[in-house]
Short mmCIF file of all heavy atoms in Angstrom, two decimals:
data_model
loop_
_atom_site.label_atom_id
_atom_site.label_comp_id
_atom_site.label_asym_id
_atom_site.label_seq_id
_atom_site.Cartn_x
_atom_site.Cartn_y
_atom_site.Cartn_z
N ALA A 142 61.30 2.29 -57.10
CA ALA A 142 62.02 1.20 -56.43
C ALA A 142 62.45 0.16 -57.45
O ALA A 142 61.99 -0.99 -57.44
CB ALA A 142 61.14 0.58 -55.35
N THR A 143 63.36 0.56 -58.36
CA THR A 143 63.83 -0.36 -59.39
C THR A 143 65.34 -0.43 -59.41
O THR A 143 66.05 0.53 -59.05
CB THR A 143 63.34 0.08 -60.79
OG1 THR A 143 63.86 1.39 -61.09
CG2 THR A 143 61.83 0.09 -60.87
N CYS A 144 65.84 -1.59 -59.85
CA CYS A 144 67.27 -1.82 -60.05
C CYS A 144 67.44 -2.37 -61.46
O CYS A 144 66.91 -3.44 -61.78
CB CYS A 144 67.80 -2.82 -59.01
SG CYS A 144 69.56 -3.21 -59.16
N ASN A 145 68.14 -1.62 -62.30
CA ASN A 145 68.25 -1.97 -63.73
C ASN A 145 66.89 -2.19 -64.36
O ASN A 145 66.67 -3.10 -65.17
CB ASN A 145 69.14 -3.20 -63.92
CG ASN A 145 70.62 -2.89 -63.72
OD1 ASN A 145 71.03 -1.73 -63.82
ND2 ASN A 145 71.41 -3.90 -63.42
N GLY A 146 65.95 -1.36 -63.98
CA GLY A 146 64.62 -1.39 -64.57
C GLY A 146 63.69 -2.45 -64.03
O GLY A 146 62.52 -2.51 -64.43
N GLU A 147 64.17 -3.28 -63.09
CA GLU A 147 63.35 -4.33 -62.51
C GLU A 147 63.02 -3.98 -61.06
O GLU A 147 63.86 -3.44 -60.34
CB GLU A 147 64.06 -5.68 -62.57
CG GLU A 147 64.36 -6.13 -64.00
CD GLU A 147 65.01 -7.49 -64.05
OE1 GLU A 147 65.27 -8.08 -62.97
OE2 GLU A 147 65.28 -7.98 -65.16
N SER A 148 61.82 -4.31 -60.64
CA SER A 148 61.38 -3.97 -59.29
C SER A 148 62.22 -4.68 -58.24
O SER A 148 62.60 -5.85 -58.39
CB SER A 148 59.91 -4.36 -59.11
OG SER A 148 59.49 -4.10 -57.78
N VAL A 149 62.53 -3.96 -57.17
CA VAL A 149 63.15 -4.61 -56.02
C VAL A 149 62.11 -5.49 -55.34
O VAL A 149 60.92 -5.45 -55.69
CB VAL A 149 63.73 -3.58 -55.03
CG1 VAL A 149 64.78 -2.71 -55.72
CG2 VAL A 149 62.64 -2.70 -54.43
N LEU A 150 62.55 -6.27 -54.34
CA LEU A 150 61.65 -7.24 -53.73
C LEU A 150 61.09 -6.75 -52.40
O LEU A 150 61.70 -5.92 -51.71
CB LEU A 150 62.38 -8.56 -53.51
CG LEU A 150 62.91 -9.26 -54.76
CD1 LEU A 150 63.52 -10.61 -54.40
CD2 LEU A 150 61.82 -9.44 -55.81
N ALA A 151 59.94 -7.30 -52.04
CA ALA A 151 59.30 -6.97 -50.77
C ALA A 151 60.06 -7.54 -49.59
O ALA A 151 59.71 -7.27 -48.43
CB ALA A 151 57.86 -7.48 -50.77
N ALA A 152 61.10 -8.33 -49.85
CA ALA A 152 61.93 -8.87 -48.78
C ALA A 152 63.05 -7.92 -48.38
O ALA A 152 63.86 -8.23 -47.50
CB ALA A 152 62.53 -10.21 -49.21
N GLY A 153 63.13 -6.75 -49.03
CA GLY A 153 64.17 -5.79 -48.68
C GLY A 153 65.48 -6.03 -49.38
O GLY A 153 66.54 -5.64 -48.88
N THR A 154 65.44 -6.67 -50.57
CA THR A 154 66.64 -6.91 -51.36
C THR A 154 66.47 -6.28 -52.74
O THR A 154 65.40 -5.83 -53.11
CB THR A 154 66.91 -8.42 -51.52
OG1 THR A 154 65.85 -9.00 -52.30
CG2 THR A 154 66.99 -9.10 -50.16
N PHE A 155 67.57 -6.28 -53.54
CA PHE A 155 67.52 -5.71 -54.87
C PHE A 155 66.74 -6.56 -55.87
O PHE A 155 66.36 -6.09 -56.93
CB PHE A 155 68.94 -5.49 -55.41
CG PHE A 155 69.61 -4.28 -54.86
CD1 PHE A 155 70.75 -4.39 -54.10
CD2 PHE A 155 69.12 -3.01 -55.10
CE1 PHE A 155 71.40 -3.27 -53.59
CE2 PHE A 155 69.74 -1.87 -54.59
CZ PHE A 155 70.89 -2.01 -53.84
N GLY A 156 66.53 -7.83 -55.52
CA GLY A 156 65.86 -8.71 -56.47
C GLY A 156 66.79 -9.10 -57.60
O GLY A 156 68.02 -9.08 -57.46
N LEU A 157 66.24 -9.42 -58.78
CA LEU A 157 67.04 -9.91 -59.90
C LEU A 157 67.96 -8.83 -60.47
O LEU A 157 69.09 -9.11 -60.85
CB LEU A 157 66.11 -10.43 -61.00
CG LEU A 157 65.28 -11.67 -60.62
CD1 LEU A 157 64.36 -12.06 -61.77
CD2 LEU A 157 66.18 -12.83 -60.24
N CYS A 158 67.47 -7.61 -60.60
CA CYS A 158 68.28 -6.49 -61.08
C CYS A 158 68.96 -6.83 -62.41
O CYS A 158 70.12 -6.50 -62.63
CB CYS A 158 69.33 -6.10 -60.02
SG CYS A 158 70.13 -4.51 -60.31
N ASP A 159 68.23 -7.53 -63.26
CA ASP A 159 68.74 -7.91 -64.58
C ASP A 159 70.07 -8.66 -64.49
O ASP A 159 70.95 -8.51 -65.33
CB ASP A 159 68.92 -6.65 -65.45
CG ASP A 159 69.11 -7.00 -66.94
OD1 ASP A 159 68.58 -8.05 -67.37
OD2 ASP A 159 69.79 -6.23 -67.64
N GLY A 160 70.21 -9.46 -63.41
CA GLY A 160 71.41 -10.27 -63.24
C GLY A 160 72.61 -9.53 -62.71
O GLY A 160 73.71 -10.10 -62.64
N LYS A 161 72.45 -8.26 -62.29
CA LYS A 161 73.59 -7.48 -61.83
C LYS A 161 73.30 -6.80 -60.50
O LYS A 161 73.62 -5.63 -60.30
CB LYS A 161 73.97 -6.43 -62.88
CG LYS A 161 74.41 -7.03 -64.21
CD LYS A 161 74.74 -5.94 -65.18
CE LYS A 161 75.19 -6.57 -66.52
NZ LYS A 161 74.40 -6.13 -67.63
N ALA A 162 72.67 -7.51 -59.59
CA ALA A 162 72.35 -6.93 -58.29
C ALA A 162 73.63 -6.66 -57.50
O ALA A 162 74.50 -7.53 -57.41
CB ALA A 162 71.44 -7.87 -57.51
N PRO A 163 73.77 -5.47 -56.90
CA PRO A 163 74.93 -5.20 -56.04
C PRO A 163 74.92 -6.12 -54.81
O PRO A 163 73.86 -6.56 -54.35
CB PRO A 163 74.72 -3.74 -55.62
CG PRO A 163 73.80 -3.17 -56.64
CD PRO A 163 72.91 -4.29 -57.05
N THR A 164 76.11 -6.39 -54.28
CA THR A 164 76.22 -7.06 -52.98
C THR A 164 75.85 -6.05 -51.91
O THR A 164 76.43 -4.95 -51.86
CB THR A 164 77.65 -7.56 -52.76
OG1 THR A 164 77.96 -8.52 -53.77
CG2 THR A 164 77.80 -8.21 -51.39
N LEU A 165 74.90 -6.41 -51.08
CA LEU A 165 74.35 -5.45 -50.11
C LEU A 165 74.51 -5.96 -48.69
O LEU A 165 74.00 -7.02 -48.34
CB LEU A 165 72.87 -5.20 -50.41
CG LEU A 165 72.13 -4.28 -49.44
CD1 LEU A 165 72.71 -2.87 -49.48
CD2 LEU A 165 70.64 -4.25 -49.77
N ASN A 166 75.24 -5.20 -47.87
CA ASN A 166 75.33 -5.46 -46.44
C ASN A 166 74.37 -4.50 -45.74
O ASN A 166 74.78 -3.51 -45.13
CB ASN A 166 76.77 -5.29 -45.96
CG ASN A 166 77.70 -6.32 -46.55
OD1 ASN A 166 77.44 -7.52 -46.46
ND2 ASN A 166 78.77 -5.87 -47.20
N GLY A 167 73.10 -4.79 -45.89
CA GLY A 167 72.04 -3.93 -45.38
C GLY A 167 70.72 -4.35 -45.99
O GLY A 167 70.58 -5.49 -46.45
N VAL A 168 69.76 -3.45 -46.03
CA VAL A 168 68.45 -3.73 -46.62
C VAL A 168 68.08 -2.62 -47.57
O VAL A 168 68.65 -1.52 -47.52
CB VAL A 168 67.34 -3.88 -45.54
CG1 VAL A 168 67.64 -5.03 -44.60
CG2 VAL A 168 67.17 -2.57 -44.77
N VAL A 169 67.13 -2.92 -48.46
CA VAL A 169 66.58 -1.91 -49.37
C VAL A 169 65.22 -1.48 -48.85
O VAL A 169 64.26 -2.26 -48.86
CB VAL A 169 66.45 -2.46 -50.80
CG1 VAL A 169 65.83 -1.40 -51.71
CG2 VAL A 169 67.80 -2.91 -51.35
N ALA A 170 65.14 -0.25 -48.37
CA ALA A 170 63.85 0.30 -47.95
C ALA A 170 63.17 0.91 -49.17
O ALA A 170 63.81 1.62 -49.96
CB ALA A 170 64.04 1.35 -46.87
N SER A 171 61.90 0.63 -49.33
CA SER A 171 61.16 1.09 -50.51
C SER A 171 59.68 1.07 -50.18
O SER A 171 59.28 0.65 -49.08
CB SER A 171 61.44 0.16 -51.69
OG SER A 171 60.76 -1.08 -51.52
N PRO A 172 58.82 1.50 -51.13
CA PRO A 172 57.38 1.37 -50.89
C PRO A 172 56.92 -0.07 -50.73
O PRO A 172 55.78 -0.32 -50.33
CB PRO A 172 56.77 2.01 -52.15
CG PRO A 172 57.80 3.03 -52.56
CD PRO A 172 59.11 2.36 -52.29
N LEU A 173 57.83 -1.04 -51.02
CA LEU A 173 57.50 -2.46 -50.87
C LEU A 173 58.01 -3.05 -49.55
O LEU A 173 57.57 -4.12 -49.15
CB LEU A 173 58.11 -3.26 -52.03
CG LEU A 173 57.64 -2.87 -53.44
CD1 LEU A 173 58.44 -3.61 -54.49
CD2 LEU A 173 56.15 -3.15 -53.59
N PHE A 174 58.96 -2.38 -48.90
CA PHE A 174 59.59 -2.92 -47.69
C PHE A 174 60.05 -1.77 -46.80
O PHE A 174 60.60 -0.78 -47.30
CB PHE A 174 60.79 -3.80 -48.06
CG PHE A 174 61.55 -4.33 -46.87
CD1 PHE A 174 61.15 -5.52 -46.26
CD2 PHE A 174 62.65 -3.65 -46.35
CE1 PHE A 174 61.85 -6.01 -45.16
CE2 PHE A 174 63.33 -4.13 -45.26
CZ PHE A 174 62.93 -5.32 -44.66
N PRO A 175 59.88 -1.84 -45.48
CA PRO A 175 59.25 -2.95 -44.74
C PRO A 175 57.78 -2.72 -44.41
O PRO A 175 57.14 -3.61 -43.89
CB PRO A 175 60.07 -2.98 -43.45
CG PRO A 175 60.38 -1.52 -43.21
CD PRO A 175 60.59 -0.92 -44.58
N ASP A 176 57.26 -1.51 -44.73
CA ASP A 176 55.93 -1.15 -44.23
C ASP A 176 55.19 -0.23 -45.20
O ASP A 176 54.72 0.84 -44.81
CB ASP A 176 56.06 -0.49 -42.85
CG ASP A 176 57.17 0.55 -42.81
OD1 ASP A 176 57.58 1.04 -43.89
OD2 ASP A 176 57.64 0.88 -41.71
N ALA A 177 55.14 -0.66 -46.46
CA ALA A 177 54.36 0.05 -47.48
C ALA A 177 54.73 1.52 -47.61
O ALA A 177 53.88 2.38 -47.80
CB ALA A 177 52.86 -0.10 -47.19
N GLY A 178 56.02 1.81 -47.52
CA GLY A 178 56.50 3.16 -47.77
C GLY A 178 56.59 4.08 -46.58
O GLY A 178 57.06 5.21 -46.72
N VAL A 179 56.17 3.63 -45.40
CA VAL A 179 56.25 4.48 -44.22
C VAL A 179 57.71 4.78 -43.89
O VAL A 179 58.12 5.94 -43.74
CB VAL A 179 55.54 3.84 -43.02
CG1 VAL A 179 55.76 4.69 -41.77
CG2 VAL A 179 54.05 3.67 -43.30
N THR A 180 58.53 3.73 -43.81
CA THR A 180 59.95 3.92 -43.49
C THR A 180 60.68 4.62 -44.61
O THR A 180 61.42 5.59 -44.38
CB THR A 180 60.61 2.57 -43.19
OG1 THR A 180 60.06 2.02 -41.99
CG2 THR A 180 62.12 2.72 -43.01
N SER A 181 60.51 4.15 -45.85
CA SER A 181 61.25 4.76 -46.96
C SER A 181 60.86 6.22 -47.14
O SER A 181 61.71 7.07 -47.43
CB SER A 181 61.00 3.98 -48.26
OG SER A 181 59.63 3.99 -48.62
#
């Protein structure tokens, strides 16, 4: 669950992404969001 080598956030976003986070009309499902990997 990384974007440009940096971890995405537990809020369901890309996080910092080394300053190049994509514009997202949606959420990022990962082992961090929304339910410790159940959904992802």
Side-chain angles (χ1 to χ4, degrees):
T143 61
C144 179
N145 286 339
E147 299 182 358
S148 177
V149 301
L150 299 184
T154 65
F155 281 117
L157 295 178
C158 194
D159 194 29
K161 298 179 180 123
T164 298
L165 177 63
N166 294 307
V168 299
V169 178
S171 74
L173 300 173
F174 177 86
D176 45 20
V179 174
T180 293
S181 61

